[in-house]
């Protein structure tokens, strides 16, 4: 079997152009504060560049990138200086709705989801984001996050429970 050719700068540039928005939203959903999302997203691509030669092109790229994003986001949160930092307020919604009332409702719903996800342990949140928000199957999630399949299923079950409890709590106990 011939060794596969090394990835080129053009290969990386295509990946970066096609998937930057996905990586940006993924690291945001993994709980990275808005002020640091750009830096963490770029760190994901630095890691992706280093590992691009090992990537199996027969597999979907997004779960592979999400796995990298998960690990980079975890490393970011583990830094001591980050633990002392106070998170900024939630960003204003850029959603263009026809009325201010609709814009406010959309913003409040997004804030509720983000706050609910922020209360979840990161291991569960990663499975929840990949499966519930990104639509990846659990076997794909388990592979991307490098966990056993049953662990991924268990984390999804617990994440759904955590999310529902957090939403209920944030809404003031109303169902």
């Amino acid at each position: 079997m011939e060794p596969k050719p090394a990835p080129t700068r053009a290969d990386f540039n295509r990946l970066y152009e096609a998937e930057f928005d996905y990586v940006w939203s993924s690291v945001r959903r993994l709980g990275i504060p808005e002020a640091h999302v750009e830096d963490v997203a770029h760190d994901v691509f630095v890691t992706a560049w280093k590992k691009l030669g090992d990537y199996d092109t027969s597999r979907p790229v997004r779960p592979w990138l999400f796995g990298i994003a998960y690990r980079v986001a975890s490393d970011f949160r583990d830094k001591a200086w980050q633990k002392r930092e106070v998170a900024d307020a939630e960003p204003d919604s850029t959603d263009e709705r026809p009325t201010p009332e609709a814009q406010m409702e959309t913003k409040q719903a997004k804030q509720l989801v983000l706050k609910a996800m922020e209360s979840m342990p990161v291991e569960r949140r990663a499975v929840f984001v990949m499966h519930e928000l990104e639509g990846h199957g659990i076997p794909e999630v388990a592979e991307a996050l490098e966990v056993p399949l049953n662990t991924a299923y268990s984390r999804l079950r617990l994440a759904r429970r955590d999310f529902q409890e957090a939403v209920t709590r944030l809404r003031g106990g109303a169902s």
Side-chain angles (χ1 to χ4, degrees):
M1 181 173 156
E2 285 186 39
K4 65 181 181 177
T8 65
R9 182 82 169 147
D11 295 331
F12 176 77
N13 288 343
R14 280 191 295 277
L15 174 70
Y16 184 87
E17 292 288 324
E19 303 299 338
F20 185 81
D21 290 341
Y22 171 77
V23 169
W24 180 284
S25 67
S26 293
V27 298
R28 180 68 183 106
R29 289 175 175 165
L30 287 169
I32 300 301
E34 192 67 34
H36 300 287
V37 169
E38 184 174 7
D39 291 336
V40 173
H42 284 121
D43 289 347
V44 169
F45 281 103
V46 168
T47 302
W49 170 250
K50 291 175 185 176
K51 296 181 177 215
L52 196 55
D54 297 329
Y55 169 64
D56 178 1
T57 57
S58 69
R59 312 237 359 131
V61 72
R62 285 188 170 186
W64 179 72
L65 284 171
F66 191 91
I68 294 171
Y70 170 73
R71 285 180 282 287
V72 170
S74 292
D75 291 347
F76 177 84
R77 275 191 303 280
D78 288 343
K79 291 179 182 175
W81 62 269
Q82 173 60 20
K83 292 184 185 213
R84 292 189 308 266
E85 203 169 290
V86 177
D88 293 338
E90 292 299 318
D92 291 336
S93 173
T94 57
D95 191 11
E96 297 294 325
R97 295 290 180 156
T99 65
E101 293 82 14
Q103 287 179 348
M104 182 58 75
E105 287 174 15
T106 299
K107 180 180 176 183
Q108 289 171 344
K110 286 180 179 181
Q111 288 176 337
L112 177 67
V113 169
L114 287 173
K115 284 197 180 295
M117 288 191 326
E118 285 172 2
S119 70
M120 297 165 59
V122 70
E123 297 82 10
R124 295 178 192 168
R125 184 187 320 169
V127 173
F128 185 83
V129 168
M130 283 191 76
H131 182 71
E132 297 293 339
L133 302 180
E134 300 295 336
H136 298 290
I138 290 298
E140 200 172 41
V141 171
E143 183 179 335
L145 299 179
E146 300 176 351
V147 298
L149 184 61
N150 286 340
T151 299
Y153 277 115
S154 177
R155 287 182 183 175
L156 176 61
R157 178 183 55 78
L158 294 170
R160 286 173 173 165
R161 184 200 67 202
D162 293 347
F163 183 78
Q164 185 59 49
E165 288 174 357
V167 167
T168 300
R169 184 182 67 255
L170 291 167
R171 286 184 174 162
S175 295

